[in-house]
Amino acid sequence: MAKKWGQLVRNWMADKMDLPQDVMMDLPRITMIGQIHIYIENHRGLIAFSDKEVRLLLKQGQLLIKGKSFVIKTILPEEILLEGRIDQVIYINEESGGKK
Amino acid sequence: MKNEWMENFYGKVTVRVAGKGIERFLNLLVRNGVHVQNVKRHGTETATFTLRVREALRIRPFARQSECSVEFLRRSGAPFVINRMLKNSGFIIGGLMFVFIVFFLSNSIWGIEIKGAKPATEYQIRKELDKMGVKIGRTQFSIANVEGIQRQLTNRIEALTWVGVELKGTTFHLQVVEKKQPKKTEQLSPRNLVAKKKATIVHMFVEKGKQMVNVYDHVVPGQLLVSGLIGKEGATKRVAAQGEILGETWYKSYVEMPLNTSFKVFNGKEEQKHYLRIGSTDIPLWGFGKLKLRKYETEENQRDIYLLKWKLPFSYVNKTFREKEEITRQYTKDEAIKKASEIALRDIKTRIDEDAKIKEEKILHRVFENGKVKLSIHFQIIENIAKGQPIPKETSE
């Protein structure tokens, strides 16, 4: 309950005070350059990595990126730069989808 | 991306990982601050990535923890390139040495050719050149420039009228013109002796000819002193009159001497700067910073650099800055008069013959005006006033 309240307060603050949502609420910030680059901040770790699929852990849920010939250019504790041909970016929520 | 250069600088190692927990392994590395880059998947259980050299040894424990095996594949980046270069440094040193030796040899003196000189003079020239440091085998940097050599040679060797020094590649070519010292030719053609200038004769010594004037006579220029026609009237003979007629002549000299004079002199302080000149831009090699001199004059010395026979587009320039100082010289009136008469005497000596004697000097007029001393001095001088004048043929018979 307390956690929910905190969440609510933060949401309200971000809304009213014009602060960026990703900072306030620990959401991932994703920057894509066409199909060739994707830059994700605020992730929580690598779950799976192959040249066709990358799965990242987020604070809430997971992020699934599908495409071709992936190379992780750089990886830092909270940031990742991925190169290749990106076809899909999918959010997977634990509540609804569960694990695939 | 921007870090790639830094990675190259520190040196990179490519690693191959095999095992099931590759993702876990990567997470572990990243959380422990290892710079992982370029992760590529090869099949299901292998991946390759690069990391920094100094982090390479730290990854073993993480690999054990995540049940992976690591294998180092390739090393690249600056530290390894440098290592290789050090290993092969012999080649580089050899190459540099070669260029340096060719460069050094093409800036040495390999020959001195002297043309147009008698053997004796040539020997003398070679000796002088030796003294100046112009020898076979010396570098051209250590010797004076061509104009300097030319000037010194002409100054030091009496027998030379002119010497042209030319530097062609590595050989000095000297073109010599020797003085032809003329033999004294006895003047045998018949002549009279006439007066050169207005004078009073004080002494006469006639070797040949008929004396036409006497001591204490006053003569005017062109007046016949000794006649070359001798013998009785009607049977005259023409001879070359010879003799010494000393006459007293008068000169006037007018000198002005300021009491206060300011000069510009070098006070001995100097600074040197060295440049490499490429085209018209000078790149300082040595001697940085501002000059400490206030007023100065600049002397520039440019030296071209040759590689084999080609002149390189850059040259070495040495600039010398000499400090100037203004000095005011002050004379008292007596000193000024003394100096002025000295100048007058010097002036007179340039106007009269070497063997002339100064009998007397007299200050005629002395004025102090506008901080200047004005003197007019009268000199009495005893000199040879005789001058030859050929006797025309018509009058001889």
Side-chain angles (χ1 to χ4, degrees):
Chain A
M1 201 60 190
K3 205 186 167 191
K4 268 269 166 72
W5 269 105
Q7 194 75 28
L8 268 174
V9 170
R10 272 189 222 166
N11 213 343
W12 179 83
M13 274 172 74
D15 204 32
K16 296 291 172 200
M17 295 170 82
D18 229 8
L19 292 167
Q21 304 269 1
D22 59 320
V23 180
M24 290 305 298
M25 300 169 72
D26 266 339
L27 296 173
R29 170 182 276 243
I30 303 170
T31 315
M32 279 182 78
I33 301 167
Q35 275 188 296
I36 54 168
H37 278 221
I38 183 161
Y39 183 63
I40 301 144
E41 292 165 81
N42 259 333
H43 74 91
R44 287 283 177 271
L46 194 63
I47 297 170
F49 166 63
S50 73
D51 59 344
K52 290 197 181 64
E53 194 181 87
V54 175
R55 198 186 279 254
L56 293 169
L57 185 67
L58 301 176
K59 207 196 172 196
Q60 282 186 319
Q62 296 176 1
L63 190 69
L64 180 68
I65 301 149
K66 285 186 176 174
K68 266 182 199 156
S69 54
F70 283 157
V71 175
I72 300 176
K73 268 286 159 192
T74 322
I75 179 165
L76 295 168
E78 299 211 315
E79 291 163 40
I80 183 167
L81 178 64
L82 195 67
E83 251 185 35
R85 217 193 76 191
I86 298 142
D87 292 332
Q88 288 176 302
V89 181
I90 305 164
Y91 278 97
I92 300 165
N93 290 313
E94 269 167 1
E95 296 94 39
S96 60
K99 263 207 253 173
K100 231 188 177 179
Chain B
M1 276 311 230
K2 64 184 173 191
N3 286 338
E4 207 150 300
W5 286 106
M6 286 314 279
E7 304 302 320
N8 272 323
F9 177 74
Y10 288 122
K12 299 187 294 191
V13 180
T14 308
V15 183
R16 180 158 65 203
V17 212
K20 284 221 167 106
I22 290 173
E23 286 86 2
R24 210 178 330 144
F25 177 52
L26 284 175
N27 283 332
L28 260 176
L29 289 181
V30 167
R31 271 179 212 136
N32 285 290
V34 178
H35 295 80
V36 177
Q37 288 192 317
N38 280 322
V39 191
K40 270 179 223 162
R41 194 78 189 225
H42 304 282
T44 49
E45 294 200 345
T46 48
T48 56
F49 62 89
T50 61
L51 45 79
R52 291 187 185 171
V53 169
R54 18 174 206 177
E55 290 162 344
L57 294 175
R58 281 171 52 197
I59 69 170
R60 288 272 183 207
F62 301 129
R64 224 171 292 137
Q65 236 171 295
S66 48
E67 292 165 19
C68 291
S69 61
V70 286
E71 194 188 343
F72 298 108
L73 293 182
R74 190 156 32 89
R75 300 178 298 180
S76 60
F80 304 111
V81 171
I82 290 168
N83 249 333
R84 230 188 349 263
M85 265 166 63
L86 285 180
K87 219 180 275 173
N88 301 337
S89 56
F91 287 103
I92 295 157
I93 292 173
L96 285 177
M97 284 272 279
F98 171 74
V99 170
F100 179 75
I101 288 170
V102 168
F103 173 78
F104 179 78
L105 292 183
S106 47
N107 285 290
S108 305
I109 302 164
W110 285 117
I112 300 168
E113 269 181 31
I114 301 173
K115 273 183 206 156
K118 283 186 296 192
T121 324
E122 189 175 327
Y123 174 73
Q124 214 179 348
I125 291 170
R126 281 193 193 277
K127 232 166 76 179
E128 282 300 326
L129 286 175
D130 264 14
K131 265 191 224 162
M132 280 188 266
V134 182
K135 272 184 214 172
I136 287 171
R138 284 287 192 95
T139 53
Q140 289 166 15
F141 297 110
S142 59
I143 56 167
N145 56 3
V146 168
E147 287 86 15
I149 292 171
Q150 194 165 328
R151 199 168 49 237
Q152 282 188 34
L153 277 182
T154 1
N155 285 347
R156 287 192 197 171
I157 302 171
E158 288 280 292
L160 296 182
T161 309
W162 179 82
V163 58
V165 181
E166 205 181 1
L167 183 60
K168 271 189 193 154
T170 57
T171 314
F172 274 98
H173 292 267
L174 279 84
Q175 188 72 44
V176 178
V177 177
E178 282 185 63
K179 263 182 204 160
K180 290 215 175 69
Q181 274 138 339
K183 283 168 205 152
K184 263 195 181 163
T185 47
E186 203 78 11
Q187 199 173 12
L188 289 167
S189 66
R191 60 168 193 177
N192 293 326
L193 291 181
V194 296
K196 252 197 293 201
K197 44 188 96 166
K198 206 166 98 175
T200 306
I201 292 163
V202 289
H203 180 79
M204 285 188 87
F205 174 70
V206 179
E207 275 178 66
K208 241 182 207 172
K210 195 158 73 186
Q211 184 176 338
M212 302 300 280
V213 284
N214 274 313
V215 178
Y216 302 127
D217 274 2
H218 186 80
V219 292
V220 290
Q223 191 179 336
L224 191 65
L225 300 177
V226 180
S227 171
L229 292 172
I230 52 171
K232 276 176 194 159
E233 203 120 0
T236 51
K237 216 169 95 187
R238 292 185 305 144
V239 291
Q242 261 176 22
E244 198 182 43
I245 288 84
L246 297 181
E248 191 181 299
T249 52
W250 307 277
Y251 288 89
K252 223 184 203 176
S253 178
Y254 179 75
V255 187
E256 265 187 27
M257 176 61 104
L259 291 179
N260 296 328
T261 330
S262 57
F263 294 93
K264 278 185 183 144
V265 292
F266 293 122
N267 64 357
K269 273 188 207 163
E270 59 172 50
E271 283 185 32
Q272 295 220 341
K273 287 192 177 192
H274 305 268
Y275 297 90
L276 186 68
R277 174 169 291 178
I278 300 172
S280 58
T281 44
D282 287 350
I283 299 165
L285 293 178
W286 191 248
F288 302 98
K290 261 192 172 170
L291 288 172
K292 283 177 218 103
L293 315 174
R294 271 163 301 157
K295 279 183 174 177
Y296 57 84
E297 241 164 54
T298 313
E299 191 190 309
E300 199 183 284
N301 224 330
Q302 183 174 349
R303 240 168 239 287
D304 298 325
I305 297 169
Y306 290 88
L307 186 62
L308 300 176
K309 62 177 185 170
W310 302 285
K311 193 170 140 186
L312 296 184
F314 47 86
S315 50
Y316 163 77
V317 175
N318 175 9
K319 281 186 188 169
T320 310
F321 303 92
R322 294 196 172 86
E323 189 165 52
K324 277 196 296 194
E325 223 172 59
E326 215 155 278
I327 282 180
T328 312
R329 190 182 61 187
Q330 270 186 317
Y331 282 140
T332 60
K333 283 181 181 179
D334 286 344
E335 272 173 344
I337 290 167
K338 220 171 109 188
K339 285 281 166 195
S341 41
E342 269 172 33
I343 289 170
L345 200 64
R346 227 177 298 149
D347 172 49
I348 282 297
K349 275 183 181 160
T350 60
R351 275 155 62 184
I352 58 177
D353 288 340
E354 269 175 50
D355 51 356
K357 268 180 274 176
I358 295 166
K359 192 183 166 198
E360 210 182 318
E361 57 175 288
K362 213 187 277 167
I363 295 173
L364 295 179
H365 194 59
R366 183 168 60 187
V367 195
F368 293 101
E369 213 175 63
N370 302 330
K372 278 181 188 169
V373 180
K374 290 180 183 174
L375 281 186
S376 51
I377 302 173
H378 181 260
F379 289 93
Q380 279 178 307
I381 284 162
I382 293 171
E383 62 180 329
N384 190 4
I385 55 163
K387 185 175 77 174
Q389 191 184 50
I391 305 169
K393 265 187 182 162
E394 292 84 45
T395 56
S396 64
E397 243 68 50

